[in-house]
Amino acid sequence: MTDIGACTVTVLDVIEETRDARSLVLEAPEDVRDRFGYRPGQFLTLRIPAAGGSGTARCYSLSSAPGVDPHMKITVKRVSGGTGSNWICDHVRPGDTLQVLPPAGLFTPERLDGRLFLFAGGSGITPVMSIIKAVLARPEGSAVLCYANRDESSVIFAAELRRLVERHPGRLQVVHWLESVQGLPTAAALAALAAPHADRDAALVCGPEPFMDAVADAMRDVGLPRERVIVERFHSLTGDPFAEPEPLPAASGGDAGARVTVTLDGERHSLPWPSGTPLLDVLLANGIRAPFSCREGACSACACQVVSGEVKMLRNDVLEEEDLAEGWVLGCQSLPVTEDVEVTYD
Ligand code: FES
C-alpha cells in the first residue's frame, strides 16, 4: 500500500462563529506533527465520509496562524446543498477524528513584513485571517482588509478583527462592505476604495468567483501589477484524492519513458518517469511524499517548477499565464515531453 501522506487528526473543539459557520480546532498526532507545519493562507484537504464507504474530499483553509495559534483551525461555512460543509457543520463534534492531507497551497504572501492589501468575500476571510494574524505577530508589516459580506450577521471573526485593530493601531485597517447596505461590490466601487492603497506591496484575494473577478479588475484599474495580485481559487473536487495511486506501468520496449530529477525538502531524487504517468504518481509510488490535494488540476497544492526539460499538463484550472511563464506546473497533471526533466518543489 502506498503511503500518500494522509493522517488522522483529532477535533479538539468546535466553535460556532456565525449561524452558518463553524471552526474546527484540530490536533495532529505527535509522530506526524512535523508534516503539519504550514504557511499562513494554506489549506487542509478533508475526507468527507459517505454512506456505503466511498467518500469524497473537500479543501478548507486554515484560519489559524503558525506560531500564533497553538493548534490548527479550519473554518467552514455552510454552502446550500454542499456535501462537505453541511456534513461538517451537522456532524463533527469534539473528540471526533478526521482523515486529512497535510497543509498545502500557494495562497500565502511572499513576505509577512510588507504592506498587504487583503480582500475577502464571505468565508474567503478564513485564509486571510491566518495571514493577518501572522503579519501582526511580527514587529513589522501592515494590512488593509476589505471584507465583503451579505449582512452584518454573516460577518465571520467580527469581534476578533475588532480586537486586532485595537491591539495594533496603525497596522490593521478593516473596511467592511455589506451588500445589504452598499449593494454588490463592483469593480468600479472597489477601485475607488482601493485607490488610496494602490502602492501596497501585494494584494491577496479570496472569496466567491464574481467577487475575485471584480477585485482583479479593480487592481488592474488602480495600477497594481498583475504579478503582485494573488488569488485563491477553489474548485469542487470530483475524484477521491485519498485513493491509492495507480501502480506504475512496467517498462516496455516501445516506451523508454523519461528520467526526472526532483528536489523536495532539500533532497534530490533521480527516477524513471513512464511517459503516460503523472509526475505526482511517480513520486508517491517511489515513497516520496510530494505535496498534493485534489489530484485533478484544480488546487495548485502540487505546484512545482521546471528547472530544465519540458513537460505537458493534462489539465490546469489554477495556474495563470504568469505562473506558467515562470515554469510552474502541476505535478498531478504533468507528463514528460523531453527525455530528461528536472523539477523543484523547494
Ligand atoms: S493536487 Fe490539486 S492541482 Fe494537483
Side-chain angles (χ1 to χ4, degrees):
M1 190 168 157
T2 307
D3 176 7
I4 61 168
C7 300
T8 301
V9 297
T10 303
V11 179
L12 297 180
D13 199 6
V14 178
I15 302 164
E16 187 162 333
E17 302 286 2
T18 64
R19 205 161 37 110
D20 54 4
R22 307 263 184 289
S23 290
L24 308 185
V25 181
L26 305 171
E27 185 175 57
E30 188 100 41
D31 58 329
V32 294
R33 230 163 261 174
D34 58 328
R35 283 196 235 160
F36 282 81
Y38 62 99
R39 298 196 298 277
Q42 289 196 302
F43 62 84
L44 295 180
T45 306
L46 266 65
R47 183 177 187 81
I48 309 293
S54 69
T56 175
R58 290 289 179 270
C59 303
Y60 294 106
S61 295
L62 288 149
S63 53
S64 53
V68 177
D69 296 296
H71 299 291
M72 294 180 293
K73 183 170 75 170
I74 56 167
T75 303
V76 180
K77 185 177 179 182
R78 282 185 197 275
V79 175
S80 172
T83 315
S85 61
N86 287 302
W87 180 80
I88 288 171
C89 290
D90 290 335
H91 295 289
V92 177
R93 300 283 178 265
D96 288 352
T97 56
L98 297 168
Q99 224 195 340
V100 305
L101 294 172
L106 299 177
F107 185 70
T108 185
E110 207 169 301
R111 303 169 38 198
L112 290 171
D113 55 359
R115 299 165 64 247
L116 301 180
F117 204 175
L118 305 170
F119 290 86
S123 60
I125 190 64
T126 302
V128 169
M129 194 68 194
S130 171
I131 292 167
I132 288 172
K133 287 189 283 187
V135 167
L136 296 178
R138 298 181 151 244
E140 283 176 38
S142 67
V144 174
L145 166 66
C146 171
Y147 184 14
N149 279 285
R150 205 177 43 234
D151 53 33
E152 209 169 334
S153 70
S154 50
V155 180
I156 307 172
F157 305 132
E160 194 172 354
L161 283 168
R162 250 192 325 271
R163 275 197 301 275
L164 287 172
V165 170
E166 284 164 13
R167 209 176 299 152
H168 301 277
R171 293 186 62 199
L172 174 63
Q173 184 182 340
V174 180
V175 181
H176 285 283
W177 183 289
L178 297 179
E179 284 172 28
S180 57
V181 179
Q182 291 144 290
L184 282 174
T186 61
L190 290 169
L193 188 151
H197 311 289
D199 61 342
R200 295 247 133 198
D201 298 328
L204 290 100
V205 192
C206 186
E209 206 76 25
F211 173 74
M212 294 199 291
D213 290 344
V215 174
D217 290 348
M219 293 299 95
R220 189 198 54 221
D221 293 349
V222 300
L224 198 75
R226 175 63 195 88
E227 64 273 13
R228 298 207 326 242
V229 181
I230 304 172
V231 176
E232 179 71 316
R233 288 190 198 280
F234 284 116
H235 299 263
S236 257
L237 309 187
T238 53
D240 178 7
F242 289 87
E244 283 272 304
E246 294 290 320
L248 293 181
S252 75
D255 176 13
R259 191 145 198 103
V260 61
T261 305
V262 178
T263 305
L264 174 68
D265 295 333
E267 284 183 27
R268 269 163 77 86
H269 311 266
S270 178
L271 305 163
W273 187 357
S275 60
T277 305
L279 175 63
L280 176 67
D281 292 8
V282 173
L283 299 179
L284 294 178
N286 281 281
I288 298 166
R289 288 210 192 98
F292 72 92
S293 171
C294 69
R295 282 166 63 180
E296 55 190 53
C299 77
S300 80
C302 62
C304 54
Q305 265 180 309
V306 175
V307 178
S308 64
E310 196 185 329
V311 307
K312 65 178 174 196
M313 279 191 279
L314 297 167
R315 179 176 165 182
N316 167 32
D317 293 343
V318 276
L319 296 181
E320 310 207 356
E321 285 304 319
E322 292 80 5
D323 304 317
L324 301 175
E326 289 172 8
W328 289 100
V329 294
L330 301 173
C332 73
Q333 299 297 315
S334 291
L335 300 179
V337 172
T338 51
E339 264 176 35
D340 285 293
V341 180
E342 181 169 352
V343 303
T344 178
Y345 285 84
D346 290 354

